[in-house]
Amino acid sequence: MRKLSEITRRRFGQGLGAAIALTGEANLAFAHGGSHEVAVRIDDFTFVPPTAEILVGDNVTWENGDHAPHTATSLDGTWDTGPLERAAFRRVTFNEPGEYRYVCTFHPHMKGTVLVRNRDG
Ligand SMILES: [Cu+2]
């Protein structure tokens, strides 16, 4: 029997490495230490997990596992991945605490939340 979960994890790990390599600010964030990356996959028109909990200064990376293009677009207009084609990924760094609800602009029934907490509390 194939171990699908392991295959998925390895595939995503490779994508994450490429994202970090392509983004200059990632190096800066990691140099300061304590910055973490949380992955949200888009599969079958669903953000997984639907709520990503991080601390201020952390990053969230969205990767599209669907054939259809998707976005992750904040309802308050502060950030937007833009359209992600299949297997594309984009990272967003969150420097302000808050609860950021977002949708896919192509499929507004797709909803997710990024919960950003202060490091002190
Ligand atoms: Cu979509």
Side-chain angles (χ1 to χ4, degrees):
M1 184 183 297
R2 294 175 62 192
K3 294 182 177 177
L4 287 175
S5 62
E6 284 188 15
I7 292 168
T8 301
R9 202 175 307 139
R10 195 177 323 124
R11 256 196 66 232
F12 186 75
Q14 289 171 352
L16 207 57
I20 291 166
L22 287 170
T23 309
E25 72 185 289
N27 296 328
L28 190 63
F30 277 71
H32 285 289
S35 177
H36 294 94
E37 185 97 18
V38 171
V40 175
R41 271 192 66 85
I42 307 171
D43 272 317
D44 197 20
F45 294 79
T46 306
F47 295 109
V48 183
T51 298
E53 291 191 43
I54 60 171
L55 299 177
V56 168
D58 287 348
N59 313 296
V60 176
T61 297
W62 283 266
E63 180 182 11
N64 184 11
D66 281 345
H67 288 281
H70 297 293
T71 76
T73 305
S74 180
L75 291 177
D76 68 6
T78 54
W79 54 271
D80 187 354
T81 64
L84 296 173
E85 302 297 327
R86 176 170 174 78
F89 48 85
R90 194 148 302 147
R91 80 205 311 264
V92 176
T93 303
F94 291 86
N95 292 313
E96 298 290 336
E99 182 177 318
Y100 299 88
R101 291 191 295 161
Y102 66 91
V103 298
C104 169
T105 55
F106 300 135
H107 316 100
H109 63 279
M110 295 173 59
K111 294 182 170 65
T113 302
V114 178
L115 201 52
V116 185
R117 301 182 194 281
N118 275 309
R119 291 190 169 269
D120 296 337

